Amino acid sequence: LCRALLENDRVVCFEMVEINPTLDSENTMAQNAFDILEAATDAIQNRLRLAEVVSR
């Protein structure tokens, strides 16, 4: 879902928040958040590459 949203060029801002890190005893939520952030970064990079190719 995150990747699909970020591939849309109307999205200009993205924010992630961990609601209560004290409940993350085994670092599970932090790892999940990192995976989501990595997918988001990939989607943004792909969108920028596509925009660069189209603008040529």
Side-chain angles (χ1 to χ4, degrees), residues 2-21:
C2 179
R3 180 181 297 274
L5 288 172
L6 290 172
E7 287 175 352
N8 188 319
D9 60 348
R10 293 181 291 176
V11 176
V12 295
C13 182
F14 177 76
E15 183 175 347
M16 285 183 48
V17 177
E18 187 172 359
I19 296 186
N20 193 345

Side-chain angles (χ1 to χ4, degrees), residues 13-32:
C13 182
F14 177 76
E15 183 175 347
M16 285 183 48
V17 177
E18 187 172 359
I19 296 186
N20 193 345
T22 60
L23 297 177
D24 192 7
S25 60
E26 295 181 21
N27 215 23
T28 304
M29 290 305 295
Q31 185 59 46
N32 290 340

Side-chain angles (χ1 to χ4, degrees), residues 7 44-56:
E7 287 175 352
I44 291 168
Q45 287 177 333
N46 289 338
R47 188 171 84 181
L48 291 174
R49 277 190 220 108
L50 179 62
E52 182 180 320
V53 169
V54 170
S55 68
R56 287 183 184 178

